Amino acid sequence: MQPTDIANPDYFHKVVDCQWACPAHTPVPEYIRMISAGRYGDAYMVNWKSNVFPGILGRTCDRPCEPACRRGRIEKEPVAICRLKRVAADYKEDITSRLPKAPAVKNGKRIACLGGGPASLAVARDLAPLGYDITVFDQDPLAGGMMRTQIPKFRLPETVIDEEVGYILNLGIHFKGGHKIESMRAVLDQGFDAVFVGTGAPRGRDLDIPGREEARAHVHIGIEWLSSVSFGHIDKIGRRVVVLGGGNTAMDCCRSSRRLGGESVTVVVRSGFEEMKASAWEKDDAMHEGIPILNWLVPKEFLHEGGKLTGVVFEKVKAEIDAKGRRNLVPSGEPDHLIECDDVLVAVGQENSFPWIERGIGIDFDKWGMPAVDARTHQCSRPGVFFGGDAAFGPKNIIWAVAHAHEAAVSIDKYCNGQDIADRPPPMTHLMSQKMGIHEWSYDNDIRNDLRHKVPHKDPALALKDIRMEVELGFDGKLGLAEAQRCLNCDVQTVFDEDLCIECDACVDICPVDCITFTGNGEEADLRGRLMAPAANLTQDIYVSKPLKTGRILAKDEDVCLHCGFCAERCPTGAWDMQKFLLNVTHAGDAAGEPACRSAA
Amino acid sequence: MSYLAKPKFHHPALEANSLGFTHRDYEGSISTLCAGCGHDSISAAIIHACYELAIPPHRVAKLSGIGCSSKTPTYFLGQSHGFNTVHGRMPSVLTGANLANRELIYLGVSGDGDSASIGFGQFAHAIRRGVNMVYIVENNGVYGLTKGQFSATADKGSKSKKGVVNSDSPIDMVAIAIQLGATYVARSFSGDKAQLVPLIKAAFEHQGAAFIDCISPCVAFNNHEGSTKSFDHVRAHNAALNELDFMTARAPITADYEPGRSEIIKLHDGTSIRLRKLDARHDVTDRGAALAAIHEHQGKGEIVTGLLYVEEDPQDMHMGLGTIDKPLNQLGEADLCPGSAVLERINAALR
Ligand SMILES: Cc1cc2nc3c(=O)[nH]c(=O)nc-3n(C[C@H](O)[C@H](O)[C@H](O)COP(=O)(O)OP(=O)(O)OC[C@H]3O[C@@H](n4cnc5c(N)ncnc54)[C@H](O)[C@@H]3O)c2cc1C
Ligand SMILES: Cc1ncc(C[n+]2csc(CCOP(=O)(O)OP(=O)(O)O)c2C)c(N)n1
Ligand code: SF4
Ligand code: SF4
Ligand code: SF4
Ligand SMILES: [Mg+2]
């Protein structure tokens, strides 16, 4: 193998599995260490810079970081990264003085953000400190998008949304609520310097089966129903409720129903329990509230009597692999299944829809009605118009909306300054030794087996009584500290200096997880099989040195390295050092409110 | 050294031996030796050898004297018996223990100071008695623990860290061991586990006095230019006579070897080693040839390593003494006090 190029920002970034997996590349171990040190405000600001909505995401994030977490590879469960974010948000001191201010003197450029969800708000936050004059339009009275209208209050209290949306709107942003955009042409005619489209994926899919029309008064589209609940237009539902679908929306529908009079609420999915789109913890929370999840049932017909829904008939199916290796659902041959109910919530998917964007104004759409958007720059076919969040590539989640927004803001800043938006500066990285003494490090390297701590929940009997009562209580300071201590500090990198190594084997002998091998070089596949422990996880890199004095190379499997620093403690020559890797994703502006993404003049 | 205990986590794909132990189960508490000390690598080699042989840890007795090297038994086989003797007395205590309980596996760990200076006599007698044991000298040419004075194995002309030249002749532990009748004699290097681990395994299988002189650089006091026990010097002057493949009856090694270049040596209970000869002239069963090879290489300034001498049918101390098969602690009252009739018979025989 070729010697590893550790100057490539991606190499050590990948070792920080959680940060690499986070769409916004939040420096997770950095903020977790701050929580351990009781520096909640600092931890909050690290998050705020990267992901804009720490308090919201600390309760609702889809947490792609957690399945990636290294602790999950050496122990049963990953670090509770997401809920630690909430710890920072819950216990921080007043941080308002640390937030950027909108400059008194604007830069003369006007930006329109269409839709007031996380994508638009994050674009506004990135650009406002640079002096842009930003207007956010939303059809709803308040900003926040689906964070406010869809996610039920028992998961995300209104106060948290108000606080974090407020931090952004206070940057001198004009928010035009209750303002539905009916024509893109009209927006463009207003002469904005750039337009960001963050209107989400607002349409819920319907289910066209017999009885749908007749039973219409008792069959509701999930996301429409949830926003009506959120606005207080709906405050009760029938005693027996069937929720169709297996994603986030279905989980929020069923749990909301339990709080609005649904005593017998059942979730029904077409395929298997494992394949459901909802996250494992959402399913757990639903089942914990007495909601059964039935699977392998395809809805066939709504039964009704005199305009009143009486039940749903399902066909029983099973999965079969066809000749081409595709999986199909086929009838199992068992008799149909009837569930009697008073209301049905249809939560079978969400779609984009842009009836308000005229064709022929330079914005191209594909055959599925999706705009043609560049995945890196987020610009569509019409220069100066950018898409992000659910509006860009279909429904995802809040953290993806934020990640899109950072990229779009970079593009907008470059565009408004006449620069090539495709020419994007790489992230800034720093490596800093953590050595403080012979065996003293500036991070806690005492790695212990320690199972994940559970977040305390409100007693379900109480929680089910009030739809606005938050179910999760969050970690208290003590539990938060205990959970923070589970982090392995994967950003504190093992950095090897081949010129110093005397090949004494001390690091090989001490490494608790057999990561380190000195051996003859070879092709990757061969080398992976010849290490102290086989390196079977191909998603994890092998760190390879230049040839050493004996002609051998060092090969370190990054996979299950505990970042315990024992190799560096044992090295007599300092050939290993533990160095903290900090990666700053390029945003439109820096912490001082100066432009950070423009190419040198 | 490190202050923290080593994390309990191990690699998820670590294989267990037939006892269900991984190599981590053969560790001891964390070493307090200097970072990079050769002795720690020898401990790691012992751990790997015991793991690979699936030795039940509670059947091993580790004995040592005084010195950095003699501290190491604390750092491996944490579940085994241990005895730290006064300086240089390990061989005598080991001999006594072996007489009392011949069923344990004896591992003596010592240093060049412990065995070639203060304990030279003890070393000599344990070897010449053919005590069934593995005796490892972790040889760094200095008294590491007392801050680096030359030991009796330091080569004439080698320089101390401060630049003082050693004027005394060295004791060559392998030559002495061969002369004293050791039935398994090898030399190795802490920085070459591929050679060392099979040598330790074969020594465990050998049922007699097995002696290994293992060069083990002292990174604190004897790893500089002018030292003949430094990593660089040993690597540059290492003359390996052979390489070992360890074979158990169950899993013989099947690789092909050049004829005349390989030789099978029987050890014990169906185990054997296959020697890949790097020096085709060397016959490991010839005591005289072994001594000649040692002297020849020494003359060239080389350090000869590998298996130097082995006797396929060794004699151990108990055979010579005709002692009872059972450990003394398993003898019942009837065995220990056979009664006046037996006493009569013995007395009669002496009259
Ligand atoms: C029930 C449900 C639960 C969810 N739970 C989670 C969760 O727990 N965690 C998570 O990360 N994600 C969750 N999501 C997804 C998440 O809410 C979205 O991915 C995210 O809000 C997308 O952000 P956005 O800014 O792209 O769009 P949105 O949040 O959808 O915001 C778009 C805004 O634009 C407005 N708008 C649309 N068209 C117009 C128009 N023509 N004129 C004016 N305004 C317009 C809309 O009213 C809306 O306010 C959930 C989604 C649903 C439906
Ligand atoms: C009776 C006695 N004399 C002297 C000492 C001091 N002493 C301690 S260790 C040591 C030498 C150890 O050298 P070696 O066996 O080579 O061990 P190393 O530390 O080099 O591994 C000496 C002389 C002692 N502990 N006891
Ligand atoms: S930090 Fe070093 S010793 Fe610790 S697990 Fe990683 S490679 Fe092994
Ligand atoms: S401990 Fe240091 S000098 Fe020794 S082999 Fe490892 S990296 Fe090289
Ligand atoms: S002084 Fe020398 S022998 Fe003792 S622990 Fe340190 S390096 Fe090893
Ligand atoms: Mg010594």
Side-chain angles (χ1 to χ4, degrees), chain A residues 245-247 251 267 269 271-279 283 293:
Chain A
M251 295 303 111
V267 172
V269 295
S271 53
F273 183 80
E274 301 303 327
E275 293 115 272
M276 286 170 65
K277 280 217 185 113
S279 318
K283 298 193 266 185
I293 299 178

Side-chain angles (χ1 to χ4, degrees), chain B residues 2-295:
Chain B
S2 308
Y3 283 143
L4 300 174
K6 193 163 160 175
K8 291 271 187 300
F9 288 114
H10 63 68
H11 194 285
L14 222 52
E15 273 179 44
N17 63 17
S18 60
L19 298 176
F21 293 142
T22 69
H23 72 78
R24 298 268 339 249
D25 295 315
Y26 288 85
E27 289 179 353
S29 53
I30 192 149
S31 168
T32 58
L33 302 186
C34 302
C37 178
H39 300 350
D40 281 334
S41 286
I42 302 175
S43 297
I46 293 171
I47 287 169
H48 279 276
C50 291
Y51 155 75
E52 287 168 22
L53 290 174
I55 291 179
H58 69 288
R59 302 308 301 153
V60 178
K62 316 169 282 184
L63 294 97
S64 64
I66 298 292
C68 298
S69 37
S70 294
K71 286 173 71 178
T72 62
T74 310
Y75 315 137
F76 58 80
L77 298 182
Q79 316 291 321
S80 300
H81 307 277
F83 197 111
N84 224 179
T85 75
V86 286
H87 204 7
R89 270 55 181 167
M90 176 276 284
S92 313
V93 176
L94 190 153
T95 305
N98 189 313
L99 276 169
N101 185 348
R102 59 192 293 182
E103 280 190 351
L104 293 180
I105 300 165
Y106 289 94
L107 171 60
V109 175
S110 181
D112 41 331
D114 198 57
S115 281
S117 294
I118 193 169
F120 201 39
Q122 275 73 17
F123 157 72
H125 293 292
I127 296 282
R128 59 172 272 282
R129 287 190 172 113
V131 179
N132 182 6
M133 64 182 169
V134 178
Y135 192 133
I136 301 181
V137 166
E138 307 191 341
N139 185 353
N140 53 16
V142 287
Y143 299 167
L145 192 69
T146 53
K147 303 219 176 298
Q149 302 84 353
F150 283 125
S151 78
T153 64
D155 288 309
K156 196 170 185 165
S158 74
K159 271 199 197 121
S160 77
K161 202 175 176 182
K162 290 253 167 76
V164 180
V165 175
N166 179 35
S167 55
D168 299 339
S169 296
I171 292 175
D172 188 327
M173 301 292 281
V174 282
I176 305 265
I178 291 172
Q179 276 167 351
L180 290 169
T183 44
Y184 177 101
V185 180
R187 178 142 57 205
S188 190
F189 170 44
S190 68
D192 184 2
K193 285 207 197 66
Q195 182 190 52
L196 180 56
V197 173
L199 280 174
I200 296 175
K201 285 165 73 178
F204 271 118
E205 289 300 321
H206 179 80
Q207 299 299 302
F211 179 76
I212 301 176
D213 175 26
C214 189
I215 316 279
S216 174
C218 170
V219 287
F221 301 112
N222 206 10
N223 193 36
H224 46 266
E225 265 218 56
S227 157
T228 56
K229 301 273 192 289
S230 66
F231 280 106
D232 285 349
H233 183 91
V234 179
R235 286 213 167 96
H237 299 88
N238 189 341
L241 293 180
N242 42 46
E243 282 168 5
L244 263 66
D245 291 325
F246 189 86
M247 303 185 282
T248 59
R250 255 180 298 138
I253 285 178
T254 50
D256 290 332
Y257 294 100
E258 220 182 303
R261 281 266 169 190
S262 102
E263 186 177 352
I264 306 240
I265 310 278
K266 283 206 193 60
L267 294 168
H268 175 65
D269 284 350
T271 52
S272 49
I273 41 178
R274 191 194 295 264
L275 279 184
R276 274 174 286 153
K277 295 186 170 190
L278 300 177
D279 179 343
R281 294 166 307 159
H282 186 61
D283 175 2
V284 292
T285 59
D286 182 339
R287 210 176 271 275
L291 287 170
I294 294 167
H295 286 125

Side-chain angles (χ1 to χ4, degrees), chain A residues 71 74-75 439 445 447-449 502-506 509-510 512-514 533 549-550 560 566 569-570 572, chain B residues 1-12 14 23-24 30-31 35-36 40-41 44 193 223 231-232 235:
Chain A
R71 174 82 57 174
I74 54 163
E75 216 175 51
H439 22 58
N445 66 326
I447 309 300
R448 293 284 155 258
N449 300 56
I502 58 171
E503 297 177 71
C504 70
D505 265 8
D509 298 336
I510 196 67
V513 282
D514 295 288
K549 251 193 198 159
T550 59
V560 290
F566 276 63
E569 277 189 23
R570 275 306 162 90
Chain B
M1 69 180 268
S2 308
Y3 283 143
L4 300 174
K6 193 163 160 175
K8 291 271 187 300
F9 288 114
H10 63 68
H11 194 285
L14 222 52
H23 72 78
R24 298 268 339 249
I30 192 149
S31 168
D40 281 334
S41 286
K193 285 207 197 66
N223 193 36
F231 280 106
D232 285 349
R235 286 213 167 96

Side-chain angles (χ1 to χ4, degrees), chain A residues 180-259:
Chain A
K180 183 165 181 161
I181 305 286
E182 308 280 5
S183 159
M184 184 63 151
R185 194 190 296 271
V187 173
L188 294 173
D189 284 348
Q190 291 177 49
F192 290 102
D193 291 283
V195 174
F196 176 79
V197 181
T199 49
R203 189 152 70 189
R205 278 209 193 101
D206 202 350
L207 193 63
D208 192 15
I209 54 173
R212 173 70 180 92
E213 249 334 282
E214 296 82 342
R216 62 173 310 122
H218 299 280
V219 177
H220 322 275
I221 303 288
I223 67 169
E224 289 170 11
W225 183 80
L226 281 172
S227 57
S228 301
V229 170
S230 164
F231 288 123
H233 304 323
I234 288 181
D235 59 7
K236 56 176 168 306
I237 195 160
R239 194 175 58 79
R240 299 165 308 166
V241 181
V242 166
V243 177
L244 303 175
N248 305 6
T249 309
M251 295 303 111
D252 284 338
C253 284
C254 68
R255 295 181 68 195
S256 296
S257 302
R258 283 288 277 131
R259 287 160 170 79

